[in-house]
């Protein structure tokens, strides 16, 4: 037989107060005396009580939850974003409801629908392109929405990110400036940001009178995929002397494969990634990368969202907040 969960009445009986008093404390601890609050908190802990937010949600009260959609839970990029979000919202009594959609817009649509069904107070999206139905649902919800990681496309409401195209151009220009001429771009599963990076790479190559070459995989980014793409690139272009990857995971796999093949880095081949993951600083040679401010993006997005949740009457002053990535040439360019 399933054990019954502790109820508000169980807590009230043990403390010697009314159920309404316990409910008042759980909603806002400052509405009861400090001494009584301490007694209620002790009993809540003893009984293992879990607050049921369903009545609040059904009455359209705050759920004190923020929906966060990311394309991947295994990618350190979004791990850092989530840390930034949680650092801001948790001290304010909010929790992140995190879900991933595997770079699929149709899956993202389903996840948005699910989060909205739980009456989240706001949503942070990590993409800037969505299905028409996703946009309609978000607009109809009336809650604050912030898109992150891109600052170039018009946002639904507000965006916090950086210019992927410009950052990619800057790194490509540095590789060209190092004397490399046969530079190949390696990509895995495509999203809008990856396309922006490829466009930046291609434009820099073309302006320098060099031929852009893109080799991609439908697989998710992994060290193995990076190594496989490197072998494919070398097979198609034995004279390649530069590798630029859409992220650090692919770049790490490519770098390790180059070392395995006995290729000298960076004299024989230069290698660069994107994002500035932790692993880039411990590789030898240290991997060149575009360092993106993911943690700061998470914090700023969360602060903006909370301001709009707590003060819904305010007008969004900065629809696009753009941060500046940094170029780190490491030892591989």
């Amino acid at each position: 037989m399933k054990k019954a969960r502790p109820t508000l009445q169980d807590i009230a009986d043990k403390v010697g107060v009314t159920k309404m008093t316990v409910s008042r404390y759980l909603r806002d601890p400052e509405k009861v005396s400090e001494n009584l609050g301490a007694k209620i908190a002790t009993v809540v802990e003893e009984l293992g009580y879990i607050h049921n937010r369903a009545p609040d949600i059904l009455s359209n009260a705050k759920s004190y939850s923020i929906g966060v959609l990311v394309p991947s839970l295994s990618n350190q990029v979004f791990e850092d974003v989530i840390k930034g979000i949680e650092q801001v919202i948790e001290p304010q009594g909010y929790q992140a409801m995190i879900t991933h959609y595997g770079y699929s817009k149709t899956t993202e649509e389903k996840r948005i629908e699910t989060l909205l069904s739980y009456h989240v107070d706001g949503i942070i999206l990590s993409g800037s392109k969505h299905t028409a139905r996703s946009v309609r649902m978000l607009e109809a919800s009336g809650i604050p929405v912030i898109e992150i990681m891109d600052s170039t496309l018009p946002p639904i409401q507000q965006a916090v990110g950086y210019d992927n195209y410009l950052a990619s151009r800057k790194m490509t220009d540095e590789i060209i400036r190092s004397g490399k001429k046969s530079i190949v771009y390696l990509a895995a599963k495509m999203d809008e940001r990856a396309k922006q990076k490829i466009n930046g790479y291609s434009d820099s190559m073309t302006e320098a009178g060099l031929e852009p070459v893109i080799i991609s995989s439908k697989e998710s980014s992994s060290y193995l995929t990076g190594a496989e793409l490197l072998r494919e690139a070398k097979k198609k272009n034995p004279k390649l002397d530069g590798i630029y990857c859409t992220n650090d995971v692919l770049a790490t796999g490519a770098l390790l494969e180059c070392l395995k093949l006995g290729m000298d880095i960076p004299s024989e081949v230069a290698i660069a990634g994107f994002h500035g993951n932790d692993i880039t600083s411990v590789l030898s040679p240290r991997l060149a990368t575009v360092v993106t401010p993911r943690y700061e993006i998470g914090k700023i997005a969360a602060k903006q969202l909370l301001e709009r949740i707590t003060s819904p009457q305010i007008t969004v002053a900065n629809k696009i907040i753009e941060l500046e990535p940094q170029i780190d040439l490491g030892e591989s360019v």
Side-chain angles (χ1 to χ4, degrees):
M1 183 177 177
K2 186 177 180 181
K3 185 179 179 181
R5 287 186 175 187
T7 65
L8 287 177
Q9 192 62 58
D10 293 333
I11 299 170
D13 292 343
K14 199 155 187 180
V15 177
V17 295
T18 66
K19 185 169 73 170
M20 186 63 71
T21 301
V22 177
S23 177
R24 190 181 303 121
Y25 165 79
L26 292 174
R27 288 176 181 272
D28 186 353
E30 293 184 1
K31 287 188 176 180
V32 303
S33 69
E34 188 175 339
N35 184 48
L36 179 56
K39 289 180 180 177
I40 295 173
T42 299
V43 174
V44 167
E45 179 70 23
E46 286 176 359
L47 296 180
Y49 174 78
I50 299 171
H51 178 46
N52 180 11
R53 287 183 172 174
D56 292 342
I57 293 173
L58 290 172
S59 65
N60 290 322
K62 287 184 180 297
S63 66
Y64 288 93
S65 58
I66 305 295
V68 180
L69 287 93
V70 295
S72 169
L73 291 175
S74 61
N75 192 325
Q76 188 194 335
V77 172
F78 300 105
E79 178 187 336
D80 292 340
V81 170
I82 290 167
K83 284 179 182 176
I85 293 170
E86 290 181 333
Q87 184 185 1
V88 171
I89 68 173
E90 289 187 351
Q92 303 303 316
Y94 287 79
Q95 290 189 352
M97 292 183 68
I98 302 164
T99 184
H100 75 97
Y101 54 91
Y103 296 94
S104 165
K105 289 185 178 66
T106 54
T107 302
E108 183 194 49
E109 179 184 302
K110 293 176 184 176
R111 301 290 186 264
I112 289 171
E113 184 175 15
T114 299
L115 288 171
L116 292 176
S117 74
Y118 283 103
H119 287 257
V120 291
D121 297 325
I123 282 186
I124 296 175
L125 305 170
S126 57
S128 49
K129 286 282 187 79
H130 319 281
T131 66
R133 182 167 180 263
S134 290
V135 174
R136 286 197 301 271
M137 286 191 294
L138 291 167
E139 289 175 340
S141 73
I143 63 172
V145 177
I146 294 184
E147 293 156 290
I148 58 173
M149 309 303 281
D150 177 49
S151 64
T152 58
L153 295 176
I156 296 172
Q157 295 176 7
Q158 190 176 21
V160 181
Y162 49 88
D163 190 328
N164 286 273
Y165 171 85
L166 186 58
S168 187
R169 286 208 63 161
K170 287 180 178 178
M171 178 55 86
T172 306
D173 289 343
E174 290 293 344
I175 301 173
I176 294 170
R177 197 172 291 119
S178 73
K180 307 305 182 185
K181 299 187 181 300
S182 184
I183 306 163
V184 178
Y185 190 99
L186 305 185
K189 266 189 177 178
M190 292 286 191
D191 63 359
E192 184 59 33
R193 291 186 295 275
K195 293 172 185 175
Q196 292 171 3
K197 294 175 200 172
I198 288 173
N199 289 339
Y201 153 81
S202 297
D203 286 352
S204 282
M205 291 288 285
T206 301
E207 285 186 15
L210 303 174
E211 182 184 358
V213 178
I214 296 103
I215 296 179
S216 62
S217 170
K218 292 182 180 179
E219 299 297 322
S220 298
S221 292
S222 68
Y223 301 139
L224 179 60
T225 303
E228 290 172 345
L229 287 173
L230 181 281
R231 288 195 296 270
E232 184 179 344
K234 189 160 176 58
K235 192 174 182 180
K236 289 184 177 179
N237 185 359
K239 294 183 179 180
L240 74 82
D241 57 7
I243 294 290
Y244 181 25
C245 299
T246 201
N247 57 46
D248 291 331
V249 174
L250 292 180
T252 297
L255 183 146
L256 294 174
E257 185 65 16
C258 283
L259 295 176
K260 182 180 176 182
L261 296 173
M263 302 172 71
D264 188 76
I265 303 171
S267 62
E268 188 175 348
V269 58
I271 300 179
F274 201 103
H275 281 308
N277 288 357
D278 291 345
I279 194 170
T280 63
S281 61
V282 297
L283 289 170
S284 183
R286 191 162 58 85
L287 182 65
T289 186
V290 177
V291 182
T292 55
R294 291 104 53 196
Y295 183 71
E296 285 302 315
I297 286 172
K299 286 177 62 177
I300 292 171
K303 285 178 182 177
Q304 292 290 313
L305 203 69
L306 286 187
E307 282 181 15
R308 291 168 56 196
I309 289 169
T310 54
S311 303
Q313 73 282 0
I314 65 171
T315 303
V316 178
N318 299 313
K319 288 195 173 182
I320 296 178
I321 300 174
E322 183 169 291
L323 282 70
E324 187 74 25
Q326 302 298 316
I327 303 296
D328 180 1
L329 296 181
E331 301 165 341
S332 64
V333 170

